[in-house]
Amino acid sequence: MLRVVQSFALMFFIAVLVACGSGGGGTTANTPSNSGSASSGSASNSSGATPATIAAAITALDTTLPADPSLTLPAVCATLQATLMQSAFSSPTSTDPSIDANPINSNPDTAAIQNALNACTAGQAVKLVTNGALNAFLTGPLTLPSGVTLWVDSGVTLYASRNAADYDSGSAGFCGGAYKSGVSPPPSGSGGCKALIAVPAGATNSGVIGLGAIDGRGGSVLTGGPVLTINSTPFPTAGKMTWWDVAMLSKLTPTALSQNCPVLLDLTKGGSNFTMWGIALLNSPHFHVKMDSYNGFTAWGVQVLSPTLAYADNNYACTATGHTIRPTGPASGSPATSPSTCFTPDDIKNTDGIDPGGSNNVTIAYSYISDGDDNVAITASNSNSCVTLNPNNSFCSSTNTKIAHNHFYYGHGMSVGSGTEGGVSGLQVWDLSIDGKGSSNGAGLRIKSSATEGGSVSATYTKVCIQNEKQPIVIDPNYSSTGGSSLFPDYHDISFVGIHAVTLAGAKYPNSTNWNNVIDGYNASFMVKNLILDNVYFDTSVKGDPAWGNSAHPGVGYVSAAPNYANIVIGSGSTNFAIPTNGASVTVTGTTGTATAGNAVDCTSAFPAFSSVNPLAPI
């Protein structure tokens, strides 16, 4: 009952804040203005999104967070002492250490860890600890039983096997390979691989905690794996490619291969009340955390970091002697003849941070995430073991997701989609910083879908600082070039409150001259409805006024470099830039261009270096 009362109070508070900021309430965006100009409508109420009201909104939102998991850590059922040294995993090199060069030695600790997990009573934890100078474990795939927690203690690293054969999910030996679409059976993504840590269907109250690290070793040379046929030429992956090299084949070759690399933590079978606390997830070959159909998930104080300094230079320069990025071939359709030895986040495909799919009551808080794909992606495209089923189709809905007090770095931003068939609602993002480092593949706040995987999406973003991102805001219903269907993107009631895009020193890659935002609905029937911009301020001293772009697959009737099919409401906190109204079916209610630097969200301390919390971070 307390949670219900808190939620109602929060919704009321946010509704009041937005109503004050919109100069007429949430429904005004659905009403076309008389002139269609950015100056039409009224926003005379000045009590909207000011620093004071934004701070009050954050305080109210914080009352809905669950308790810090460190306050109630589980009892320990078994303590396992480390058997190896972390230094052995970088000798002679991190990419190809001698400790497990022979695949016979690929996972010496698997049995001991799995046996301890299996023997543990629900509600307790298996704890991995140091043993004098020994501070590492080496394992293959593990299954985390229902109710059991894996606790990786401070100073300990659990390393993953780099022998693809250890992860093979069947007899065909697909794991560690990249295959053309249509192979029978058709592996894709991680379909041919077991996860490093898998949680069975229906598990409840399991977790992965501790101040140690789990390292997927995505940049390490494979010691086992299939022989691929690429451009009619047999090619062994073992000794020739890393997990990330395999993944890049799917991106760079004209044959559109699909990689098979293991997920670090697999929660896709459905369950409830999974907890992550303190743990550092490093160098995943594929997704770091992939989740579907969970009712209750908390990630608190978690670090997701790929690549680490084991596979990169400081600031991801990758210019040191002997370092090579994709040494030969993939861009021209041929596999590399030797493994890459240095990686940037842009070279590690599909290494998403945390991706909750079709799940309810999800919290990601006080965490640091830097990777090669979406930092966080909220989806609703799964259809098994649904917590909440969309009544209009067979897909699971995503509801009540809280993204609070986090720091994102390299990656594709705070994303929704691309699959949103079941509908995404109750998404609250607050006190977020995103420092994209100027990556050409980066994005800030992004909602993406297409005509074959669309659904209802609503969300509120409150107090977000964005730095070195070419595209701070992206709303894209044409993320992929697909034909029409009944699953159209339906974006509505989306609020951006207290958003500040800044340009400070430190970008790794050059940006274009201007910001470039995308705000598009699908068509006149599926417009972006009631999109609220309240105190949205973009620094202009370096980058100039925002430019406007469109999807790479623009819809029918789109006007380029302008919002399309959108009803936009300007709150009394306003914006410091104009919004073009020459796009297809665009209305803007409220006055733009009056936001001031004094009222903008303060971002001067919003972007801590990742290395300030993890010495393995190149940034």
Side-chain angles (χ1 to χ4, degrees), residues 14 26 83 87 93 127 143 156 192 282 322 330 342-343 413 516 536 544 573 579:
I14 295 296
T83 61
S87 58
T93 67
K127 191 172 185 179
T143 299
V156 174
L282 313 176
C342 193
F343 296 88
N516 186 287
V536 179
I579 299 175

Side-chain angles (χ1 to χ4, degrees), residues 209-290:
I209 66 171
L211 299 179
I214 301 175
D215 193 329
R217 305 175 73 198
S220 290
V221 181
L222 298 178
T223 59
V227 176
L228 306 180
T229 300
I230 301 177
N231 295 335
S232 302
T233 302
F235 184 80
T237 55
K240 300 288 186 180
M241 306 187 82
T242 69
W243 292 115
W244 292 333
D245 287 329
V246 170
M248 287 302 291
L249 279 176
S250 65
K251 185 175 183 178
L252 297 177
T253 59
T255 48
L257 305 180
S258 178
Q259 89 273 22
N260 271 247
C261 302
V263 169
L264 211 61
L265 176 57
D266 183 359
L267 301 172
T268 59
K269 301 296 192 298
S272 60
N273 299 328
F274 194 91
T275 299
M276 300 179 67
W277 167 76
I279 198 74
L281 302 182
L282 313 176
N283 302 312
S284 181
H286 203 250
F287 293 81
H288 290 78
V289 181
K290 186 168 175 56

Side-chain angles (χ1 to χ4, degrees), residues 379-442:
T379 61
S381 57
N382 49 310
S383 56
N384 294 317
S385 305
C386 297
V387 180
T388 304
L389 185 69
N390 187 319
N392 300 315
N393 56 38
S394 60
F395 293 97
C396 306
S397 300
S398 170
T399 65
N400 194 31
T401 301
K402 301 177 176 66
I403 314 295
H405 305 294
N406 297 289
H407 298 283
F408 294 173
Y409 301 83
Y410 280 100
H412 297 180
M414 175 62 236
S415 293
V416 176
S418 55
T420 59
E421 296 95 320
V424 176
S425 63
L427 171 59
Q428 291 276 359
V429 179
W430 70 92
D431 190 26
L432 171 66
S433 76
I434 306 176
D435 184 353
K437 298 295 183 180
S439 168
S440 59
N441 295 315

Side-chain angles (χ1 to χ4, degrees), residues 544-579:
D545 291 334
W548 297 88
N550 303 113
S551 166
H553 310 284
V556 175
Y558 275 29
V559 174
S560 63
N564 291 278
Y565 300 116
N567 301 136
I568 302 172
V569 175
I570 308 301
S572 64
S574 193
T575 65
N576 68 323
F577 50 85
I579 299 175

